[in-house]
Amino acid sequence: MDWGLKNRLSKIIKSDGRTVMLAVDHGYFLGPLSGLEVPAKTITPLIPYADSLMLTRGILRTSIPQDTDTPIVLRVSGGNSIVGKELSNEGITVSIEEAIRLNVSAMALSIYVGSEYEHQTLLNLSKLVNEGEKYGIPVLAVTAVGKEMGRGARYLSLASRIAAELGAHIVKTYYCEGFERVVKSCPVPIVIAGGKKIPEREAFKLAYNAIRKGACGVDMGRNIFQSEHPMAMIQAVREIVHENASVDEAFKLFNSLKGKRKGK
Ligand code: 5RP
């Protein structure tokens, strides 16, 4: 790995080998989903607690202060929508020049292993890695799970390993039963998505289990910004990821912060 690429990666994955990424890229196919109707309003107070922000260029340009020090992981795949025919039909939506212009620390793209457009999305990843390697920009591959695909260790190991084999520098996948197998067979760091909103304590359990079984962090979205207390939520998740807090400790912190103004 070249110095520039390593340097960018080190901004995302901190010196303890862990990371709390805030995923707010959902609008690229879901539109104005709950909690992100007015992106700046939701995202701005969370920025100080996020190790990086995963978002699209539209939200970056319109909703994120230009003087932010928080590294940007730019979503560069898309071309589908929740009401369209096929979610897996994605292409690369942002040029490498644009990613450089936006001063991003990494680019993120989804692959859909086992879907109708598997081939296309895997070639998208390969192309993006080729471009990223030229300029020292790491690539995060998201192992997207379509309707027809399972979320078991077998499938997620397959998708994560393929992403790493094609050159992804970080893999974002889902937590599952037997998650340690997914981590063991993937030679690059893994972060987990939070998935649909679940009760806070359950979300802490998810993060805790993922970290314990080898994830280097979370790339969490809805379980933070759809919580009634997003700031308390992200701070408690940080305690699990960076301070090895237990589920009980995180929940206790969440409850103590949610009463305070800054925890709202
Ligand atoms: C879809 C994505 C998401 O848009 C997002 O990043 C997922 O985050 P969460 O599941 O925690 O809301 O990557 O493939």
Side-chain angles (χ1 to χ4, degrees), residues 23 25-26 29 54 75 110 142 144 172 193-195 219-222:
D25 60 322
H26 307 60
F29 74 105
M54 178 178 173
R75 156 77 58 184
S110 292
V142 180
K172 172 175 175 174
D219 186 7
M220 203 175 252
R222 289 163 288 179

Side-chain angles (χ1 to χ4, degrees), residues 11-24:
K11 293 186 192 310
I12 299 167
I13 301 176
K14 300 300 178 187
S15 52
D16 60 359
R18 303 262 174 91
T19 185
V20 175
M21 304 174 66
L22 177 65
V24 284

Side-chain angles (χ1 to χ4, degrees), residues 47-48 50-53 64 67-72 105:
I47 295 178
D51 292 329
S52 67
L53 297 173
I64 305 298
D67 61 357
T68 186
D69 288 331
T70 307
I72 300 302
S105 296

Side-chain angles (χ1 to χ4, degrees), residues 75-110:
R75 156 77 58 184
V76 301
S77 70
N80 54 14
S81 87
I82 192 67
V83 294
K85 279 206 182 76
E86 175 53 56
L87 271 183
S88 65
N89 192 2
E90 286 198 353
I92 297 177
T93 53
V94 180
S95 67
I96 188 75
E97 291 81 6
E98 173 81 327
I100 294 166
R101 198 158 39 234
L102 291 168
N103 197 24
V104 305
S105 296
M107 300 178 288
L109 165 146
S110 292

